[in-house]
Amino acid sequence: MRLAYLSTDPGITWGGAKGASVHLAEIVEALAREGADVLVLVSAVANAAPPPPPGVTVEPLPTPRKHVSVEELLAGESSLAAWLEDRMRRFGASAVQERLALYSAAGSVAAHALGIPHLVELNSPLPEEAAKYRELEQAEDALRLERAVLSAADLVFPVSSPLAAYATERGARLVEVMPNAVSLQRFEGLPDKNGSDPPLAVFAGALRPWHGVETIAEAWRRLGSDAPRLRVIGDGPGRDALAAIGAEMLGAVQHADVPALLTEADIGLAPYAPDAPTYFSPLKLFEYLAAGLAVVAADIPGVSDIVAPDAAVLIRPGDATALAAGVAALANDPDERSRLGRKAKALAREHTWERRARRIIEAAAELSTSEVTAA
């Protein structure tokens, strides 16, 4: 299988530190481990990016996309599609896996010109997200191009069930939920958890409002002197709120260092905010599971579809009272922490990037065969 992996999003670099870049690297590396030759076409390569692993070629797209106006992006669609068609033909791509991005249907156009399957990874409702958290320019064009890509795709892989419904509403013909996952290799050889006294809770991720930073701060204030130690891996606008409750603030760290920091903890936190979107598939959840943590998380589909109520403590998003109660119960019950930790590790084995990669390769092969048969 020779697979092209495309991301035209100007904010996602190969070798970058943000969650989307981590996701990109993890699935591409897993595809290579599963035997695919992968051509990664991205907007940019980070200055400190390590060399790609065996079986992976990484190339930036031919024209800059970061700090380029929406008008320029739209004007360049035709030339980008032509370039992609030529590059993927020379690579001999059997299929294209694309991370859906705003303002671009060039990958879809190129794949269909080549007559190869186009698989689309859907991580969020991009126009809605941009309108809510940033600014959605050229809204009509953004919506038109998104619908064009989703309706023409041979298969759409949304990361959660709400996004599956979103894709179907926008014309996707074949939809299969594919949540995020974890690389268990990164957790191999780390010391077994012996339990710490007092216990250590951890939050990993960008300190953005929707992640429930204020919920954590309020829960710790309610717990007072009974609050366990709190470690925060990540940075962002919520840093001061967590520093004010005495959290150990590690800031942004290299993703390779995260597993060791997580396995030193006992309780993993993912509470989200009351008004947070429900479509997330949190990378942190899968890493908490692989680390064997007892998880306290928001009861949203991307969480509850992975962990049953007996495998984690599920709370209403943004409920500081419930978060405090869940953390307190786990802090005082090492046996329950141990039980949840064992279930977490078992669950992590069901949600690896290798499993996701195998499904992508299988789907691409199935679609290629069906198209040949139909022809």
Side-chain angles (χ1 to χ4, degrees):
M1 173 68 67
R2 294 177 70 79
L3 186 70
Y5 191 105
L6 173 64
S7 173
T8 62
D9 189 319
I12 301 175
T13 60
W14 175 265
K18 64 189 291 185
S21 293
V22 170
H23 178 141
L24 172 67
E26 293 281 23
I27 190 60
V28 165
E29 291 176 22
L31 286 165
R33 286 195 295 269
E34 291 301 309
D37 290 321
V38 189
L39 171 64
V40 181
L41 301 169
V42 289
S43 287
V45 178
N47 291 332
V56 176
T57 300
V58 179
E59 293 181 12
L61 296 172
T63 54
R65 295 181 67 81
K66 199 169 181 66
H67 308 305
V68 172
S69 71
V70 173
E71 289 79 5
E72 289 174 286
L73 291 176
L74 294 172
E77 274 285 279
S78 178
S79 59
L80 178 59
W83 184 89
L84 289 170
E85 180 184 346
D86 176 68
R87 184 65 189 90
M88 291 190 294
R89 179 184 288 110
R90 288 187 287 112
F91 174 67
S94 308
V96 183
Q97 169 86 0
E98 179 175 9
R99 182 184 176 106
L100 189 66
L102 277 174
Y103 307 118
S104 183
S108 176
V109 172
H112 286 85
L114 291 169
I116 59 177
H118 183 219
L119 291 69
V120 174
E121 173 190 306
L122 179 62
N123 291 274
S124 66
L126 291 167
E128 290 183 8
E129 193 174 74
K132 181 175 181 179
Y133 295 111
R134 299 182 297 279
E135 179 184 0
L136 181 62
E137 301 178 58
Q138 304 278 112
E140 194 171 307
D141 288 310
L143 293 167
R144 172 180 58 80
L145 289 170
E146 180 191 59
R147 181 174 286 275
V149 174
L150 292 175
S151 62
D154 296 290
L155 176 57
V156 178
F157 286 125
V159 297
S160 66
S161 52
L163 285 177
Y166 178 90
T168 300
E169 290 166 1
R170 281 146 186 81
R173 296 168 293 159
L174 186 58
V175 177
E176 180 179 325
V177 175
M178 180 178 285
N180 283 323
V182 67
S183 286
L184 295 182
Q185 298 92 325
R186 302 190 189 282
F187 292 82
E188 291 175 352
L190 296 175
D192 288 336
K193 193 183 311 298
N194 295 317
S196 50
D197 187 21
L200 175 63
V202 65
F203 174 86
L207 305 184
R208 302 291 182 183
W210 54 86
H211 283 156
V213 172
E214 290 294 340
T215 304
I216 296 173
E218 177 59 25
W220 252 248
R221 285 192 290 269
R222 293 178 183 226
L223 289 166
S225 60
D226 293 329
R229 295 176 298 144
L230 175 61
R231 169 177 290 172
V232 177
I233 306 169
D235 212 341
R239 178 182 180 86
D240 291 345
L242 295 177
I245 58 170
E248 176 192 2
M249 307 298 295
L250 301 187
V253 303
Q254 292 295 317
H255 186 246
D257 298 329
V258 170
L261 295 170
L262 291 181
T263 54
E264 293 172 354
D266 304 281
I267 302 168
L269 307 176
Y272 287 96
D275 60 347
T278 61
Y279 53 77
F280 293 132
S281 176
L283 281 170
K284 64 173 66 65
L285 171 67
F286 299 95
E287 295 186 333
Y288 291 167
L289 297 177
L293 303 186
V295 175
V296 186
D299 189 356
I300 60 174
V303 173
S304 57
D305 287 351
I306 303 299
V307 294
D310 70 336
V313 178
L314 300 181
I315 64 171
R316 287 186 307 168
D319 190 335
T321 300
L323 177 60
V327 168
L330 290 173
N332 294 317
D333 192 342
D335 290 340
E336 179 65 358
R337 295 200 306 270
S338 179
R339 184 189 73 82
L340 291 178
R342 290 193 299 273
K343 290 189 77 72
K345 286 195 169 185
L347 271 173
R349 289 192 289 272
E350 299 176 16
H351 296 283
T352 65
W353 288 117
E354 285 78 13
R355 284 196 175 205
R356 306 294 189 251
R358 283 197 293 274
R359 179 57 195 138
I360 290 169
I361 293 169
E362 289 169 1
E366 290 165 2
L367 289 165
S368 297
T369 302
S370 65
E371 289 182 5
V372 169
T373 302

